[in-house]
Amino acid sequence: MSSVAMPFYQRRHKHFDQSYRNIQTRYILEEYAARKAASRQAAYYESPGLGKTTCRLCARRARTLAHEAIQESRKRTHEQKSHASEEKRIRFTSELSALEKEIHTARHRAREHLDRLAIQRMVEENMALERHAVEESVSRAPEILVRLRSHTVWEKMSVSLCFTVQGFPTPVVQWYKNEELITPASDPAKYRIESKYGVHVLHINRADFDDSATYSAVATNVHGQASTNCAVIVRRFRGEEEPHPAGIMPFHLPLSYDVCFTHIDVQFLEKFGVTFGTEGETLTLKCSMLITPDLKRLRPRAEWYRDDVLIKDSKWTKLYFGEGQAALSFTHLNKDDEGLYTLRMVTKGGVSEYSAYLFVRDADALIAGAPGAPMDVKCHDANRDYVIVTWKPPNTTSESPVIGYFVDKCEVGLENWVQCNDAPVKICKYPVTGLYEGRSYIFRVRAVNSAGISRPSRVSEPVAALDPVDLERTQTIHVDEGRKIVISKDDLEGDIQIPGPPTNVHASEISKTYVVLSWDPPVPRGREPLTYFIEKSMVGSGSWQRVNAQVAVKSPRYAVFDLAEGKSYVFRVLSANKHGISDPSEITQPIQPQDTIVVPSAPGRVVATRNTKTSVVVQWDKPKHEEDLYGYYIDYSVVRSNRWEPSNHKPIKYNRFVVHGLETGEQYVFRVKAVNAVGFSENSQESEAITVQAALTCPSYPHGITLLNCDGHSMTLGWKAPKYSGGSPILGYYMDKREANHQNWHEVNSSLITRTIYTVEDLTEDAFYEFKVAAANLVGIGQPSDPSEHFKCKAWTMPEPGPAYDLTVCEVRNTSLVLLWKAPVYEGKSPITGYLVDYKEVDTEDWITANEKPTSKRYFKVTDLHEGHTYVFKVRAVNDAGVGKSSEISEPVLVEAQPGTKEIFSGVDDEGNIFLAFECKEATDASHFAWGKSYEEIDDSDKFKIETEGNHSKLYFKNPDKSDLGTYSISVSDTDGVSSSFVMDDEEFERLMTLSNEIKNPTIPLKSELAYEVLEKGEVRFWIQAESLSPDSTFRFVINDKEVENSDRYKINCDHSNGIIEMVMDRFTIDNEGTYTVQIQDGKAKNQSSLVLIGDAFKAVLAESELQRKEFLRKQGPHFSEFLSWKVTEECEVLLACKVANTKKETVFKWYKDGSGIDVDEVPDLQKGECHLSIPRLSRKDEGVYKATLSDDRGHDVSALELSGKVYDDIILALSGVSGKSASPLKILCTEEGIRLQCFLKYYNEEMKVNWSHRESKISSGEKMKIGGGEDVAWLQIGEPTEKDKGNYTFEIFGDKESYKRTLDLSGQGIFIRPDLYDRGKVIGGLPDVVTIMDGKTLNLTCTVFGNPDPEVVWFKNDKAFELNEHYAFSLEQGKYASLTIKGVTSEDSGKYSIHVKNKYGGETVDVTVSVYKHGETMPEIKPGQLAKPRRIPPSEEV
């Protein structure tokens, strides 16, 4: 809310919308209504000349008489022109004069009536204004002048309770009995209430014992409430005193008048903290509270303040209070809302308040780089057509500076914003002219810089264009009985025609761009509206120039622009009304336009001090000239980031500010700049860097005091350390004690207790004691703890153990936490064997045991908790006797990981040392990083070393080994329970040890191990490549444990930039067999690589070296650059080719086969470098060894190719591929033997790999089907085809890369199937071609014959038919089995035997040679297994 008081005439002005914005229109409407009312009332007034005739009747009569007179005059003139008489003219004139007088009288009376009504209305309005002003001036909350007085009376007596109260408006009083409302209507005979002249009385009739009570009266009005109370005691007529009724103090004790039932205790529960918002957002500040007592009739008043200015409900802020909560809502945040917000709960008993800062950041600019919006737009010095608008500039920390501002105006009720200034105004103040009188306006401002225009500011409060002097020109006259009459000065000044000149013309404001002139209106000024004209003259010019020639000025002030810089001017003002213009006013003193306010100087020394974990207090020296300052802007920057951020977005007026929203543990610097209406000062010098940490304070209070043991004369107590040490280490503790029911505390120790356990001696057995403990640090002694419960000093003898103590919760995560405790001081009758951990949610009653079996450790990780729930914990020790006393219940713990929670991490430093590290941003100078193993603090300096610097701490392992495995933990004191743990298992330990070993014993990483390569001259190069080598690196080559140096034989070189080390051996011989090693050292890093060349490995290198040497020597003369090779052309020729090099004209080239020269038709051109030998049709006769020779005086070279074996087969395969591409489709050729399938090719050789198949079955060459071919054809002969031979036939030739197929379907080829091929006589089989038999044996020749019709069978011997007899027998069974039997063969039976099988289609002849040898002779050798081949007999041939 604005801190500038608004003029009362602006507060009472109603800001109409556009329907009623024109004040002149309202005046016309009011005047019209007044005239209508006057015309109605004038009928009741009696006219002096016409009796009771009204003005309206007079006018009508006048018109009628005039009309009749004219008609009569015309008639008479027409009838008697010659008789015009003076008498009629006089008569007409007298009547007309009387009519005019009557009309004038009626008008005069109507005006007097309207004036009386206007004065009466003005008086009523002024009285209402004054009455309201008086009411405001006397308004106050109820105040009790005379309080109630306590009474003691006997039964049956009446008592009157009275008090006096004042306040305005008149307070309403209610009476209460023991806080219950008294209603007289419920018991009119008992109670009667009176109120008169501020005195209020409660009459209690015939009081009895039940009327003894506390009575109170509460007075309330809109401004507050007040109360008073008293006690009434009714006594009975008895000898003994009656006991005091409940709630009544003994009558002999004085009653305190300080007891006030309006005192309400307000305790804030949930408070709003420091809040950050952004312009345009909605935001609510809430604060819940506990009100005691919570009475509906007696409630505190909630008041919100921003920078100590009361906030009320408005368009931008909404207030709420109820149901134990107070809230302030912002509907649309602006930087105007930034500030310190305070909630005050006001009661008669006092004020409870809470404050926190609200920061409002700039909204994102509409144009990148544009400044933020201005703020705090206010209107001043409003008049009929003029107002001054002021604002505050935005902070431009990261944007370019503001070069000016645009001011916009808008009439209330409209949405049409109009820009008031054409060029940006450079200062934060601008006089807006050209307003319309009576209209209401709102204003806004936009900032401009080199990047663009900002968002508009929040609009100002509405302001009306009214003249405040108008109200000053009224005078109030008080008459009797409180009545008063208000008279305007216009009524007293009389009729003024031309006004006088204005007075007191002066410059109320001077700037570099304009001058604001002010003056007093002329006195008297008259009733007519005034306007003013302003004239200026440059000093020394002698001429005057009217400034506002086009626009009349109605206000007694005006802003003059367009003044020359550095020139002086004088001014004068003229007043005018409808009658004329006054004389000029007196001339002002010379005025020179210049800025009276200059840019402020930079603030002085800036000092930053610690405040909280997220804030810093910044203080600075005020600038030398601090007049007219709007305030200061504070910027901050992280050290070394060189990036500044604004802290506040609205200027503050004090030289001390708390910068919030900083990161704990980070270092910041600060700077300040002052700002006024002209602009910003230079930035102050930067403050010294400061680390964000909490300020040093006394420690907080210890808690959890527990009795750990008692022997009847002493007690051992334990407690928990304070949660916060106050930023300084806790030095120790002080303990006080007192016996129960004693008021005074007694000091237990005079010197500090350094531990959280202490034994108090010299106690009285069976007495009860309570204790409290306070912690002390460097700052001082903190608040003591709450008193412990009453402990009885009685010796403990139970067999079970005592309670564990010092329960600590750490490592709180989303579903788990770790609980630590210390062992009981009292163990019982046997040693402690373990512990049970119990927990429960805060709002439940049932405890849950976390571990089924007691744990022997003094820590336990509780898991499977619910995130966001709150738990409490306790621990019970166990021994052989049972479960002991439970520990103190821990404080409630919210199971939820804090944002930004960090964990311990492991690593190895540059020296190879293994460490565990932890970082805590919340750590302060007083924080202690406590490292532990198995949650026991580490104090073994032989195995561990701890280094802590700032908010980082590291635990180093000095001599790591397997004993270091386990759980390591850390806790940071003076923080909000920051802690973590790390499990060092075998895998992690091995990883760290490996990394440590690599760092302590660094190895130069190699890109390539030691390798070799044989160079073209037969040299052997040994080389190795590292990832990188520094110029200072060293190396050496060792061969068979002997270092070699750089020499002609061993050329050693190192390329440090590429990390390559090499050694070249000029001649590699049989003596170089062995082990080769390279050793490298670069700083501490070392590495080596070895290569073993022994046995076959060495022989391979030696052979390759010799080969390369020979190749090098060979290439010194004519030589083959490419040796003999073969290829197959598209014409199926085999081409032997080679390439030659280093030839000359004298070089001779020759071809050889198997040592014999080959004559070629054309001598190859050696200059082309290629030589060819063509073999047209390759066959077996072309096999052999082919050689090509080169020779001249420099030497000779030979290239050989053995064209046989696999090489020959590969060439045939290549020929098959080329020929297969040219294969034609299969064709049919009918022959005498049957059908021949043919495929024509470019070249065919029987050695080519081909395949014939029938119905996907491979065909083998035989009598039935024969496979063959020629130079350009491959064929398949099907002898005597039958129906079975129908189907698909496929020819496939296999090349070196793929195969080629040709297919033919013989199904349905009946045209090629003839009877002479199928039905002729045939010898199917059974006869051999040679038979050898010993004489005396019986020879049987049997075969199967076939023919359709049945063939004729004839046997022949030596091509001659013979007759059958006993020696020769012939048979034909079933028409198909023919046989010849020779009984007792002799040598004469040797010879050729033939069988002829023939029918009408032809037949076959089969010859069998019979050889007979004598008994005792060696049987002649024959080829077994061969059958006789048939010869065909044509149908025409005779047998």
Side-chain angles (χ1 to χ4, degrees):
M1 304 298 293
S2 174
S3 60
V4 179
M6 185 178 291
F8 70 93
Y9 62 87
Q10 290 285 354
R11 291 203 305 269
R12 304 190 187 285
H13 178 76
K14 295 181 179 180
H15 300 282
F16 297 98
D17 61 10
Q18 66 270 26
S19 301
Y20 300 95
R21 66 180 184 270
N22 195 324
I23 192 169
Q24 296 178 356
T25 303
R26 297 203 303 274
Y27 289 162
I28 293 173
L29 292 176
E30 292 176 358
E31 184 177 356
Y32 173 77
R35 289 179 179 177
K36 294 287 288 184
S39 64
R40 295 191 192 98
Q41 295 180 4
Y44 298 98
Y45 292 97
E46 182 175 356
S47 175
L50 299 175
K52 295 184 179 181
T53 305
T54 64
C55 294
R56 187 178 300 175
L57 293 177
C58 293
R60 185 180 298 172
R61 178 182 176 187
R63 289 194 297 272
T64 303
L65 289 177
H67 181 70
E68 290 179 353
I70 293 171
Q71 292 295 332
E72 185 176 355
S73 175
R74 289 178 180 176
K75 184 179 180 181
R76 289 179 180 178
T77 303
H78 181 70
E79 292 177 352
Q80 299 176 356
K81 290 183 179 180
S82 59
H83 301 286
S85 77
E86 185 67 21
E87 182 179 355
K88 290 184 179 179
R89 287 195 301 271
I90 294 173
R91 180 180 176 183
F92 176 78
T93 302
S94 62
E95 289 181 355
L96 186 59
S97 176
L99 181 60
E100 290 177 353
K101 185 176 180 181
E102 184 179 357
I103 292 173
H104 177 72
T105 302
R107 287 180 175 176
H108 180 70
R109 291 182 177 179
R111 179 175 292 277
E112 287 182 350
H113 182 67
L114 289 175
D115 290 343
R116 285 196 296 272
L117 291 177
I119 292 173
Q120 182 180 356
R121 183 168 62 252
M122 187 180 300
V123 169
E124 290 176 354
E125 290 179 354
N126 290 339
M127 290 181 66
L129 288 174
E130 285 199 9
R131 180 170 62 254
H132 192 76
V134 171
E135 288 177 357
E136 283 195 347
S137 63
V138 301
S139 294
R140 58 182 179 271
E143 181 182 3
I144 296 176
L145 302 179
V146 179
R147 308 183 69 86
L148 290 175
R149 183 173 58 86
S150 298
H151 293 266
T152 301
V153 297
W154 298 105
E155 278 188 317
K156 309 303 181 184
M157 292 181 61
S158 297
V159 61
S160 296
L161 307 177
C162 62
F163 76 101
T164 303
V165 64
Q166 69 177 8
F168 191 85
T170 302
V172 177
V173 176
Q174 290 180 309
W175 292 87
Y176 295 87
K177 175 184 177 182
N178 288 340
E179 297 190 6
E180 293 185 3
L181 182 65
I182 297 175
T183 306
S186 61
D187 193 357
K190 171 64 70 175
Y191 301 107
R192 182 165 55 88
I193 296 175
E194 294 181 357
S195 298
K196 191 174 183 180
Y197 304 115
V199 179
H200 301 269
V201 182
L202 172 65
H203 297 283
I204 304 175
N205 188 31
R206 297 179 62 79
D208 54 24
F209 187 74
D210 293 336
D211 291 324
S212 297
T214 298
Y215 290 83
S216 58
V218 179
T220 307
N221 66 6
V222 295
H223 299 289
Q225 64 180 12
S227 65
T228 180
N229 56 76
C230 67
V232 174
I233 300 175
V234 180
R235 303 186 62 184
R236 294 178 179 175
F237 293 99
R238 293 186 180 180
E240 297 180 359
E241 292 288 339
E242 280 286 321
H244 302 294
I248 304 299
M249 299 175 60
F251 70 93
H252 58 273
L253 294 177
L255 290 174
S256 173
Y257 286 101
D258 293 335
V259 178
C260 180
F261 278 76
T262 56
H263 175 73
I264 298 175
D265 181 58
V266 179
Q267 181 181 359
F268 294 110
L269 301 178
E270 295 182 5
K271 308 172 185 178
F272 59 93
V274 175
T275 308
F276 296 87
T278 304
E279 282 190 311
E281 295 179 345
T282 58
L283 182 69
T284 301
L285 302 180
K286 296 180 181 179
C287 195
S288 61
M289 61 199 73
L290 178 64
I291 301 174
T292 308
D294 188 9
L295 304 175
K296 292 184 178 180
R297 59 182 178 84
L298 297 174
R299 285 190 175 276
R301 183 172 71 254
E303 295 179 349
W304 288 89
Y305 293 84
R306 178 175 61 243
D307 299 331
D308 290 332
V309 177
L310 182 65
I311 301 174
K312 297 182 180 179
D313 261 329
S314 67
K315 175 183 178 181
W316 312 109
T317 55
K318 303 297 180 184
L319 307 179
Y320 170 80
F321 174 57
E323 300 180 357
Q325 187 180 76
L328 172 63
S329 297
F330 300 89
T331 58
H332 186 284
L333 276 178
N334 281 88
K335 289 185 292 186
D336 304 62
D337 300 316
E338 182 170 294
L340 181 65
Y341 283 80
T342 302
L343 172 62
R344 294 176 181 168
M345 303 302 298
V346 182
T347 66
K348 268 298 181 180
V351 176
S352 299
E353 65 178 34
Y354 170 74
S355 300
Y357 211 91
L358 169 63
F359 294 89
V360 182
R361 303 183 182 92
D362 285 300
D364 292 337
L366 299 176
I367 301 174
M375 70 210 78
D376 202 15
V377 180
K378 290 185 173 64
C379 300
H380 308 270
D381 202 13
N383 217 291
R384 283 191 177 97
D385 56 358
Y386 169 92
V387 69
I388 294 179
V389 180
T390 63
W391 59 91
K392 292 179 181 177
N395 190 2
T396 55
T397 302
S398 56
E399 300 87 5
S400 58
V402 173
I403 60 176
Y405 303 90
F406 285 117
V407 181
D408 303 331
K409 69 179 178 181
C410 179
E411 289 189 35
V412 174
L414 298 179
E415 296 183 358
N416 184 25
W417 286 94
V418 179
Q419 186 172 301
C420 300
N421 51 318
D422 296 330
V425 59
K426 297 183 181 299
I427 64 174
C428 297
K429 181 185 292 186
Y430 185 73
V432 180
T433 59
L435 305 181
Y436 291 97
E437 184 177 1
R439 301 187 189 183
S440 298
Y441 295 87
I442 53 178
F443 298 88
R444 70 182 187 187
V445 183
R446 294 169 295 152
V448 185
N449 68 359
S450 59
I453 302 177
S454 73
R455 292 176 179 268
S457 67
R458 175 181 284 180
V459 300
S460 67
E461 293 293 332
V463 63
L466 297 175
D467 188 356
V469 181
D470 287 345
L471 295 178
E472 298 177 1
R473 292 182 59 78
T474 58
Q475 183 177 358
T476 302
I477 302 175
H478 295 273
V479 296
D480 55 351
E481 296 183 0
R483 292 179 296 175
K484 56 186 177 181
I485 300 174
V486 178
I487 301 175
S488 174
K489 289 185 178 180
D490 295 340
D491 299 328
L492 304 178
E493 291 176 349
D495 293 334
I496 303 297
Q497 297 296 324
I498 298 176
T503 60
N504 191 25
V505 180
H506 63 282
S508 59
E509 185 176 345
I510 302 174
S511 75
K512 195 174 183 179
T513 56
Y514 65 87
V515 172
V516 177
L517 295 176
S518 299
W519 59 87
D520 296 333
V523 179
R525 72 175 188 180
R527 299 179 181 179
E528 302 298 336
L530 287 179
T531 57
Y532 302 95
F533 295 97
I534 297 92
E535 294 179 348
K536 67 178 180 180
S537 174
M538 187 180 298
V539 174
S541 65
S543 62
W544 289 92
Q545 179 184 357
R546 181 161 292 183
V547 175
N548 60 327
Q550 303 297 328
V551 180
V553 176
K554 297 180 179 180
S555 302
R557 58 190 52 80
Y558 186 76
V560 182
F561 291 88
D562 299 330
L563 300 176
E565 185 176 355
K567 302 294 183 180
S568 296
Y569 292 84
V570 291
F571 301 89
R572 65 186 184 185
V573 182
L574 298 86
S575 58
N577 60 12
K578 69 178 184 178
H579 299 292
I581 301 178
S582 71
D583 295 332
S585 67
E586 294 183 0
I587 300 174
T588 64
Q589 295 294 324
I591 300 172
Q592 182 177 352
Q594 59 184 0
D595 288 332
T596 57
I597 304 176
V598 296
V599 175
S601 57
R605 185 171 63 100
V606 180
V607 178
T609 55
R610 288 162 51 177
N611 186 43
T612 69
K613 293 182 179 180
T614 58
S615 64
V616 167
V617 177
V618 180
Q619 294 175 290
W620 58 92
D621 295 335
K622 295 181 179 180
K624 296 180 180 180
H625 304 287
E626 57 176 330
E627 297 82 5
D628 302 315
L629 277 185
Y630 285 161
Y632 304 91
Y633 280 122
I634 300 94
D635 302 331
Y636 65 88
S637 173
V638 178
V639 173
R640 292 182 297 276
S641 70
N642 200 27
R643 180 180 177 183
W644 290 92
E645 297 290 342
S647 174
N648 59 318
H649 308 82
K650 180 181 178 182
I652 60 166
K653 295 184 178 181
Y654 309 103
N655 63 332
R656 181 183 185 274
F657 188 71
V658 180
V659 180
H660 290 274
L662 306 179
E663 186 176 351
T664 304
E666 194 65 77
Q667 282 191 321
Y668 292 87
V669 291
F670 301 86
R671 69 185 186 190
V672 184
K673 53 190 172 187
V675 59
N676 63 7
V678 178
F680 295 92
S681 71
E682 296 291 332
N683 289 315
S684 68
Q685 293 184 350
E686 297 177 9
S687 68
E688 294 184 0
I690 185 173
T691 302
V692 180
Q693 292 179 349
L696 293 178
T697 60
C698 292
S700 59
Y701 55 87
H703 56 284
I705 301 177
T706 306
L707 179 61
L708 304 179
N709 194 10
C710 181
D711 59 4
H713 301 285
S714 65
M715 291 184 181
T716 301
L717 303 172
W719 60 90
K720 291 184 180 180
K723 190 172 183 180
Y724 296 103
S725 66
S728 176
I730 294 178
L731 303 177
Y733 302 90
Y734 289 103
M735 178 181 289
D736 295 338
K737 69 175 182 180
R738 70 179 178 185
E739 290 190 40
N741 301 324
H742 285 211
Q743 297 294 325
N744 297 327
W745 290 90
H746 301 282
E747 186 180 84
V748 172
N749 58 306
S750 58
S751 60
L752 286 170
I753 303 171
T754 57
R755 301 174 58 196
T756 57
I757 186 172
Y758 188 73
T759 301
V760 183
E761 305 286 350
D762 301 329
L763 301 179
T764 303
E765 189 172 5
D766 292 333
F768 287 88
Y769 292 89
E770 58 180 342
F771 304 87
K772 64 181 181 180
V773 182
N777 65 1
L778 186 64
V779 179
I781 301 175
Q783 292 293 325
S785 65
D786 294 333
S788 68
E789 60 181 272
H790 290 83
F791 297 133
K792 186 176 183 180
C793 186
K794 184 176 181 180
W796 286 7
T797 59
M798 67 276 195
E800 297 84 4
Y805 70 102
D806 199 11
L807 266 67
T808 303
V809 176
C810 62
E811 298 180 37
V812 180
R813 301 299 183 261
N814 288 332
T815 58
S816 64
L817 54 79
V818 175
L819 188 67
L820 311 177
W821 61 88
K822 293 181 180 178
V825 175
Y826 179 79
E827 292 188 350
K829 300 302 182 182
S830 60
I832 294 174
T833 59
Y835 301 89
L836 295 175
V837 177
D838 303 327
Y839 69 93
K840 74 180 184 71
E841 291 193 38
V842 171
D843 298 330
T844 61
E845 296 182 357
D846 297 331
W847 287 89
I848 301 172
T849 301
N851 53 327
E852 296 180 359
K853 296 181 179 180
T855 177
S856 59
K857 301 175 182 178
R858 291 196 300 275
Y859 64 90
F860 189 80
K861 186 173 185 177
V862 185
T863 58
D864 298 330
L865 302 177
H866 298 290
E867 183 178 358
H869 291 210
T870 304
Y871 295 84
V872 292
F873 302 86
K874 66 181 181 180
V875 177
R876 295 172 294 159
V878 181
N879 65 4
D880 293 341
V883 181
K885 285 187 176 183
S886 171
S887 67
E888 289 287 331
I889 298 176
S890 70
E891 295 181 345
V893 180
L894 175 64
V895 179
E896 185 177 68
Q898 294 295 324
T901 299
K902 294 184 180 295
E903 303 292 349
I904 297 174
F905 63 93
S906 61
V908 179
D909 64 10
D910 296 337
E911 301 297 326
N913 299 315
I914 298 176
F915 65 85
L916 299 179
F918 186 73
E919 178 185 5
C920 177
K921 290 286 188 180
E922 296 84 358
T924 65
D925 293 341
S927 296
H928 172 63
F929 289 78
W931 285 93
K933 183 178 180 182
S934 299
Y935 294 95
E936 294 289 339
E937 188 165 1
I938 294 175
D939 55 1
D940 188 353
S941 59
D942 294 333
K943 287 189 68 62
F944 302 100
K945 183 179 72 170
I946 298 175
E947 290 184 359
T948 301
E949 182 178 356
N951 53 15
H952 297 76
S953 183
K954 288 184 178 181
L955 173 69
Y956 285 93
F957 296 81
K958 289 186 175 181
N959 298 300
D961 53 29
K962 288 291 186 180
S963 64
D964 293 323
L965 300 180
T967 300
Y968 291 84
S969 62
I970 189 173
S971 61
V972 186
S973 64
D974 205 40
T975 62
D976 193 9
V978 175
S979 55
S980 180
S981 64
F982 183 87
V983 177
M984 181 73 76
D985 54 15
D986 286 325
E987 182 180 355
E988 180 65 13
F989 182 77
E990 290 298 329
R991 185 186 73 84
L992 294 174
M993 287 296 292
T994 301
L995 185 59
S996 174
N997 184 61
E998 291 177 356
I999 296 175
K1000 288 183 177 180
N1001 303 293
T1003 301
I1004 298 175
L1006 300 178
K1007 284 186 178 181
S1008 175
E1009 296 286 343
L1010 182 61
Y1012 75 90
E1013 64 175 336
V1014 179
L1015 305 180
E1016 63 176 0
K1017 294 181 180 181
E1019 299 170 326
V1020 179
R1021 174 178 177 260
F1022 295 88
W1023 63 279
I1024 186 173
Q1025 185 175 12
E1027 291 284 350
S1028 63
L1029 289 176
S1030 69
D1032 299 329
S1033 60
T1034 60
F1035 62 92
R1036 65 178 189 149
F1037 271 94
V1038 178
I1039 303 176
N1040 294 329
D1041 298 329
K1042 183 179 179 181
E1043 183 178 358
V1044 296
E1045 301 290 341
N1046 186 19
S1047 63
D1048 293 338
R1049 185 177 181 185
Y1050 303 102
K1051 298 176 182 178
I1052 302 175
N1053 184 38
C1054 178
D1055 185 355
H1056 291 90
S1057 60
N1058 295 321
I1060 297 177
I1061 302 173
E1062 64 179 6
M1063 177 184 69
V1064 179
M1065 297 179 66
D1066 182 57
R1067 186 70 183 267
F1068 196 74
T1069 64
I1070 193 67
D1071 298 330
N1072 297 125
E1073 184 177 8
T1075 302
Y1076 294 76
T1077 303
V1078 177
Q1079 298 175 345
I1080 313 172
Q1081 182 169 359
D1082 193 353
K1084 293 182 179 181
K1086 298 179 181 179
N1087 206 339
Q1088 72 175 27
S1089 180
S1090 297
L1091 179 63
V1092 178
L1093 295 180
I1094 298 175
D1096 292 340
F1098 171 76
K1099 292 177 182 179
V1101 178
L1102 181 61
E1104 186 177 359
S1105 175
E1106 292 294 334
L1107 176 62
Q1108 291 295 333
R1109 180 175 293 278
K1110 291 178 180 180
E1111 280 292 300
F1112 175 74
L1113 295 176
R1114 181 179 68 85
K1115 291 179 181 180
Q1116 302 308 306
H1119 64 275
F1120 291 95
S1121 59
E1122 290 185 10
F1123 292 101
L1124 276 178
S1125 62
W1126 60 266
K1127 67 179 180 179
V1128 176
T1129 66
E1130 292 297 325
E1131 300 301 325
C1132 293
E1133 293 182 352
V1134 176
L1135 198 66
L1136 302 182
C1138 62
K1139 290 185 179 181
V1140 297
N1142 198 15
T1143 61
K1144 58 184 181 178
K1145 292 181 180 181
E1146 292 78 10
T1147 303
V1148 178
F1149 179 87
K1150 289 184 180 182
W1151 289 101
Y1152 294 90
K1153 178 186 178 186
D1154 295 333
S1156 299
I1158 301 175
D1159 295 329
V1160 295
D1161 298 336
E1162 184 179 354
V1163 178
D1165 185 0
L1166 299 181
Q1167 298 302 317
K1168 294 181 178 179
E1170 293 186 2
C1171 300
H1172 302 93
L1173 177 63
S1174 178
I1175 303 175
R1177 296 288 180 175
L1178 183 69
S1179 63
R1180 283 291 177 183
K1181 64 183 178 63
D1182 296 318
E1183 285 185 316
V1185 178
Y1186 290 82
K1187 289 183 180 181
T1189 63
L1190 277 173
S1191 62
D1192 60 19
D1193 56 353
R1194 295 173 296 170
H1196 73 280
D1197 197 8
V1198 179
S1199 177
L1201 176 64
E1202 184 177 359
L1203 204 157
S1204 62
K1206 187 177 184 304
V1207 175
Y1208 183 83
D1209 294 338
D1210 291 342
I1211 295 175
I1212 292 296
L1213 200 60
L1215 283 169
S1216 300
V1218 175
S1219 183
K1221 292 180 181 179
S1222 65
S1224 68
L1226 292 180
K1227 297 181 180 181
I1228 303 173
L1229 177 65
C1230 294
T1231 65
E1232 292 182 356
E1233 292 80 9
I1235 299 174
R1236 177 174 291 186
L1237 303 181
Q1238 296 177 328
C1239 181
F1240 292 93
L1241 308 158
K1242 286 184 177 181
Y1243 173 71
Y1244 180 73
N1245 189 320
E1246 290 183 355
E1247 295 177 350
M1248 289 182 177
K1249 185 179 179 181
V1250 297
N1251 183 28
W1252 288 91
S1253 60
H1254 177 221
R1255 297 176 183 173
E1256 298 182 359
S1257 296
K1258 185 178 180 181
I1259 299 174
S1260 299
S1261 183
E1263 291 294 331
K1264 177 68 176 176
M1265 294 187 179
K1266 296 180 181 179
I1267 298 174
E1271 287 188 356
D1272 59 354
V1273 65
W1275 50 259
L1276 170 67
Q1277 180 70 44
I1278 305 174
E1280 298 181 3
T1282 63
E1283 291 293 331
K1284 294 181 180 180
D1285 297 324
K1286 292 183 177 182
N1288 283 326
Y1289 286 82
T1290 301
F1291 171 71
E1292 184 175 10
I1293 183 170
F1294 297 91
D1296 54 350
K1297 295 181 180 179
E1298 57 181 324
S1299 63
Y1300 303 92
K1301 293 182 179 181
R1302 299 295 183 266
T1303 304
L1304 178 65
D1305 188 1
L1306 282 182
S1307 299
Q1309 304 290 339
I1311 186 171
F1312 302 106
I1313 308 301
R1314 305 193 309 235
D1316 60 342
L1317 296 178
Y1318 296 99
D1319 296 336
R1320 64 181 174 83
K1322 299 177 183 178
V1323 178
I1324 296 178
L1327 292 177
D1329 58 349
V1330 178
V1331 175
T1332 302
I1333 189 169
M1334 189 174 64
D1335 61 353
K1337 300 290 184 179
T1338 300
L1339 175 64
N1340 184 271
L1341 299 176
T1342 303
C1343 66
T1344 303
V1345 298
F1346 169 78
N1348 186 19
D1350 292 338
E1352 179 183 0
V1353 178
V1354 180
W1355 287 92
F1356 293 87
K1357 180 180 180 183
N1358 297 327
D1359 298 330
K1360 293 182 180 181
F1362 58 88
E1363 295 181 359
L1364 299 179
N1365 52 33
E1366 293 181 358
H1367 186 65
Y1368 297 100
F1370 168 74
S1371 66
L1372 180 63
E1373 297 179 0
Q1374 300 178 8
K1376 62 180 180 179
Y1377 301 110
S1379 63
L1380 173 65
T1381 302
I1382 304 174
K1383 298 178 181 179
V1385 296
T1386 64
S1387 57
E1388 296 178 355
D1389 293 323
S1390 298
K1392 182 177 71 172
Y1393 291 82
S1394 302
I1395 181 171
H1396 286 218
V1397 181
K1398 181 182 178 183
N1399 61 10
K1400 64 180 181 177
Y1401 297 115
E1404 289 180 348
T1405 298
V1406 177
D1407 297 330
V1408 178
T1409 302
V1410 177
S1411 176
V1412 179
Y1413 64 93
K1414 294 181 179 182
H1415 181 73
E1417 294 180 356
T1418 303
M1419 186 177 67
E1421 294 182 4
I1422 60 174
K1423 294 180 180 179
Q1426 294 185 0
L1427 297 178
K1429 295 183 179 180
R1431 291 181 287 109
R1432 187 174 176 184
I1433 301 173
S1436 58
E1437 184 179 345
E1438 297 293 337
V1439 179

